[in-house]
């Protein structure tokens, strides 16, 4: 059983729960932006992609600051109680709380982990989609290049400008 010198105070645990809730909220916002990014890439909506990227730039530092605040607080608590707990290991602090408090903080921690896992998954899906789009653009550029360089209908001149002799065989393909 824990003695009072190593038991976290309820207000410390409440504060930790608040910090975790803030962190979870920031990750949730980033997750919504990641879902939108995916949608905008699928629709090839460049303007909204740019706006979404600006939003990422605005909210990602806030999420990072929330994570750093949590790590600082866990480090402070560990130092205050003489515990050898790495700042990133919130769950190790739960051994020094009562059962009721443990459940509250563990729930907040589970919320952060859940949304962080969803965000990581969506970011990976977005990376794969972006990679596919880049491959597709590369293929389209190669097709267009070969059509311009090997132009049997004479639709393009040496500067790759249309000669006005009819359709240039433009290919259109969307992801």
């Amino acid at each position: 059983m824990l003695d009072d010198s190593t038991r976290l105070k309820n207000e410390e645990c409440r504060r930790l729960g608040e910090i975790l809730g803030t962190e979870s909220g920031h990750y949730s916002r980033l997750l919504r932006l990641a879902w939108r990014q995916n949608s905008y890439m699928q629709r090839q909506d460049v303007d909204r992609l740019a706006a979404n990227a600006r939003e990422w730039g605005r909210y990602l530092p806030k999420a990072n600051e929330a994570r750093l605040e949590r790590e600082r607080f866990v480090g402070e608590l560990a130092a205050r109680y003489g515990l050898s707990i790495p700042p990133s290991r919130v769950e190790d602090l739960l051994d020094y709380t009562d059962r009721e408090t443990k459940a509250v903080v563990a729930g907040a921690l589970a919320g952060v982990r859940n949304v962080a896992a969803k965000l990581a998954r969506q970011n990976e899906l977005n990376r794969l989609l972006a990679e596919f789009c880049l491959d597709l653009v590369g293929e389209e550029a190669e097709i267009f290049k070969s059509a311009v360089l090997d132009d049997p209908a004479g639709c393009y001149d040496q500067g790759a400008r249309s000669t006005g002799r009819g359709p240039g065989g433009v290919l259109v393909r969307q992801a």
Side-chain angles (χ1 to χ4, degrees):
M1 182 159 233
L2 301 173
D3 62 34
D4 287 339
S5 66
T6 57
R7 186 180 301 266
L8 272 65
K9 295 176 178 66
N10 284 340
E11 61 268 9
E12 293 168 332
C13 292
R14 182 190 50 76
R15 177 69 184 130
L16 181 57
E18 290 172 357
I19 290 170
L20 288 166
T22 299
E23 186 177 3
S24 181
H26 287 299
Y27 290 153
S28 292
R29 176 172 282 154
L30 291 175
L31 178 59
R32 287 189 300 275
L33 290 173
W35 287 333
R36 288 180 191 156
Q37 179 185 30
N38 186 279
S39 172
Y40 299 153
M41 281 193 292
Q42 288 180 30
R43 294 187 327 223
Q44 300 175 3
D45 191 335
V46 177
D47 293 334
R48 286 193 175 151
L49 269 171
N52 198 64
R54 286 190 298 275
E55 291 293 300
W56 265 98
R58 190 170 139 203
Y59 291 113
L60 184 59
K62 292 178 181 186
N64 286 333
E65 182 54 39
R67 178 187 49 80
L68 291 172
E69 181 183 1
R70 174 193 28 98
E71 290 177 355
R72 275 192 300 270
F73 190 66
V74 168
E76 289 171 17
L77 290 175
R80 186 177 306 152
Y81 292 100
L83 307 170
S84 59
I85 296 173
S88 62
R89 301 275 304 171
V90 174
E91 63 274 4
D92 290 352
L93 278 178
L94 298 180
D95 293 338
Y96 302 94
T97 62
D98 60 54
R99 196 175 351 168
E100 188 175 308
T101 304
K102 185 179 206 171
V104 171
V105 175
L109 181 59
V112 168
R113 286 182 172 159
N114 183 38
V115 73
K118 288 179 181 178
L119 178 58
R121 172 82 172 125
Q122 189 61 50
N123 280 337
E124 177 61 14
L125 292 172
N126 289 356
R127 185 194 67 74
L128 291 170
L129 180 58
E131 191 175 277
F132 169 77
C133 290
L134 288 172
D135 288 345
L136 187 59
V137 166
E139 288 176 18
E140 288 178 342
E142 286 299 316
I143 292 169
F144 185 73
K145 179 181 168 185
S146 69
V148 168
L149 294 178
D150 185 26
D151 183 18
C155 296
Y156 297 99
D157 65 16
Q158 295 293 48
R161 291 178 296 273
S162 177
T163 60
R165 294 188 196 164
V170 176
L171 299 174
V172 176
R173 181 171 148 199
Q174 293 184 334

